[in-house]
Amino acid sequence: MALTLMRDDAVDILTRQHAQIRRGFYKAAVPGPTRRRAFEQLMRLLAVHEAAEEAHVHPVARRALQAGRTVAARRREEEKQAKKLLVALWRTGPEGKGYLRQLNAARKAVLAHAGREEREEFTALRRAVGATRLRMLGAEIKLTQAYAPTRPHRWVNNEATNKLAAPLLGPIDRMRDLARNATRR
């Protein structure tokens, strides 16, 4: 178990998830019977991805990078703005009025943010943090994502609120997901 957890480093995990998120936005735009499922998968991925970044990656960047405070603060502000769009998108849902417009606005904000993370934060982390620490950070990300909330929560957007809210909101969201999926069958 421990070896599996530490196989991937944080940058590899998050960069792969950025690619999944890019594809997820396009899948969630496709009309038809698969749209709802694609939307829910995208929202879940975005929620667990951001929870891990906010709880672990940005704090490490803040401490380890030369301009870490500035970089982390910018990424957190971008996430806060994107989360507002995602909360509105979640409320609208894939059948709601203005869905595609909201999906596109969220896509632009999230992908611009992801690009800046990859260029500014992840590249600098690779230089500043050792490979062992990046693998440990990868394990922290995997563990956090296993119990993180599965939908965006507007007020959960920093290290402290993520670490405090995840053990409560994660199970609640997962129970809601199970109940919603059970009623569809």
Side-chain angles (χ1 to χ4, degrees):
M1 172 79 169
L3 292 175
T4 303
L5 274 178
M6 291 190 51
R7 184 177 311 145
D8 296 322
D9 77 29
V11 173
D12 291 337
I13 293 167
L14 297 173
T15 302
R16 270 194 313 270
Q17 287 179 350
H18 284 171
Q20 290 173 319
I21 289 166
R22 266 184 217 95
R23 288 188 302 273
F25 271 110
Y26 292 106
K27 289 178 182 178
V30 175
T34 60
R35 180 185 272 180
R36 161 73 53 195
R37 182 181 168 111
F39 168 76
E40 289 172 357
Q41 288 174 339
L42 172 64
M43 296 304 278
R44 181 184 187 105
L45 177 57
L46 285 164
V48 301
H49 177 86
E50 289 305 322
E53 285 183 342
E54 291 166 359
H56 301 290
V57 177
H58 302 321
V60 169
R62 189 177 63 240
R63 290 186 299 270
L65 304 181
Q66 188 171 7
R69 285 186 183 278
T70 303
V71 169
R74 286 181 185 152
R75 298 302 76 84
R76 282 193 319 272
E77 186 56 36
E78 291 165 3
E79 287 167 355
K80 195 182 227 181
Q81 297 307 314
K83 197 166 285 188
K84 287 179 185 177
L85 295 171
L86 294 171
V87 167
L89 180 61
W90 177 262
R91 288 183 181 144
T92 299
E95 295 87 20
K97 185 177 181 183
Y99 169 73
L100 288 176
R101 181 183 43 75
Q102 287 181 317
L103 181 71
N104 192 47
R107 180 187 62 79
K108 286 179 181 178
V110 167
L111 297 184
H113 165 72
R116 284 189 287 274
E117 277 181 334
E118 290 176 12
R119 284 187 310 276
E120 298 173 20
E121 193 171 28
F122 295 173
T123 302
L125 278 172
R126 279 228 188 270
R127 285 191 303 261
V129 179
T132 301
R133 178 63 182 116
L134 282 176
R135 282 193 306 277
M136 288 174 57
L137 189 57
E140 293 171 17
I141 287 168
K142 289 177 183 179
L143 289 171
T144 296
Q145 290 181 345
Y147 67 83
T150 61
R151 57 183 49 96
H153 295 277
R154 190 181 64 228
W155 54 271
V156 180
N157 55 20
N158 63 42
E159 179 182 5
T161 56
N162 267 287
K163 288 182 176 178
L164 292 171
L168 175 66
L169 293 176
I172 290 171
D173 283 357
R174 283 167 168 60
M175 288 179 63
R176 286 180 179 166
D177 295 344
L178 286 172
R180 188 179 59 245
N181 289 338
T183 60
R184 288 192 189 141
R185 292 180 186 177

